[in-house]
Amino acid sequence: MDKNKIEVEHCPFCGTNSYYHQTKSMTLQYKSIPITVKQPGFWCDNCGEGVIGGADRKTTQKELQALRAEIDGLLTPDKIKKIREKLKLTQLNASEIFGGGVNAFSRYERGETPIPKPLSQLLIILKNHPNLLEEIN
């Protein structure tokens, strides 16, 4: 755990003064496959419980989405971005061509939203055959 702790009055779980903003290693599972991440949040040194807020959640979101994508046979956030750039598309252009809304590709590439399987498969085809983009554009 971090040495740079910011104390909060009382732990909401056990009531002690052992509740700090710090980073803790956590092992999570997705479809029985574990991943260990360094998760910031407010953690209690006494009872071990914690609260992970929005900004803290975002620090591990992309890493977790990449694991889920690999397990589910989908493109990871980084691979989505590489393919989009190989096709010379902005995030806005890609969203206009493939749908999903104005910010869809931004959310896919940040790991906030999983890419739909059909779109993942189409991007793999376009990565290997970029000339086919002209047919759907």
Side-chain angles (χ1 to χ4, degrees), residues 37 39 54-68 77 107 110-113:
V37 296
Q39 181 63 66
D56 291 331
R57 182 183 50 80
K58 285 184 178 185
T59 63
T60 55
Q61 189 170 341
K62 186 175 181 182
E63 184 178 3
L64 294 172
Q65 182 56 38
L67 172 72
R68 288 190 295 266
R107 289 190 307 271
R110 286 193 314 262
E112 291 178 5
T113 305

Side-chain angles (χ1 to χ4, degrees), residues 67-82:
L67 172 72
R68 288 190 295 266
E70 286 182 20
I71 292 168
D72 291 340
L74 302 173
L75 292 170
T76 64
D78 289 339
K79 288 178 183 175
I80 295 166
K81 182 177 181 179
K82 283 182 182 178

Side-chain angles (χ1 to χ4, degrees), residues 1-2 21-28 35-43 52 55-64:
M1 294 200 204
D2 280 355
H21 190 269
Q22 54 191 319
T23 299
K24 178 180 178 182
S25 290
M26 289 183 61
T27 301
L28 306 168
I35 182 173
T36 301
V37 296
K38 296 200 179 291
Q39 181 63 66
F42 284 90
W43 299 100
I52 302 167
D56 291 331
R57 182 183 50 80
K58 285 184 178 185
T59 63
T60 55
Q61 189 170 341
K62 186 175 181 182
E63 184 178 3
L64 294 172

Side-chain angles (χ1 to χ4, degrees), residues 51-129:
V51 174
I52 302 167
D56 291 331
R57 182 183 50 80
K58 285 184 178 185
T59 63
T60 55
Q61 189 170 341
K62 186 175 181 182
E63 184 178 3
L64 294 172
Q65 182 56 38
L67 172 72
R68 288 190 295 266
E70 286 182 20
I71 292 168
D72 291 340
L74 302 173
L75 292 170
T76 64
D78 289 339
K79 288 178 183 175
I80 295 166
K81 182 177 181 179
K82 283 182 182 178
I83 293 171
R84 178 184 57 75
E85 289 174 342
K86 179 181 178 179
L87 297 172
K88 296 181 173 62
L89 296 172
T90 65
Q91 289 178 338
L92 180 58
N93 296 141
S95 293
E96 289 170 349
I97 294 168
F98 302 112
V102 176
N103 296 315
F105 272 77
S106 177
R107 289 190 307 271
Y108 301 150
E109 292 174 13
R110 286 193 314 262
E112 291 178 5
T113 305
I115 189 169
K117 187 169 186 164
L119 179 53
S120 181
Q121 293 168 325
L122 178 58
L123 289 175
I124 291 168
I125 291 169
L126 291 172
K127 175 187 82 163
N128 296 326
H129 306 282

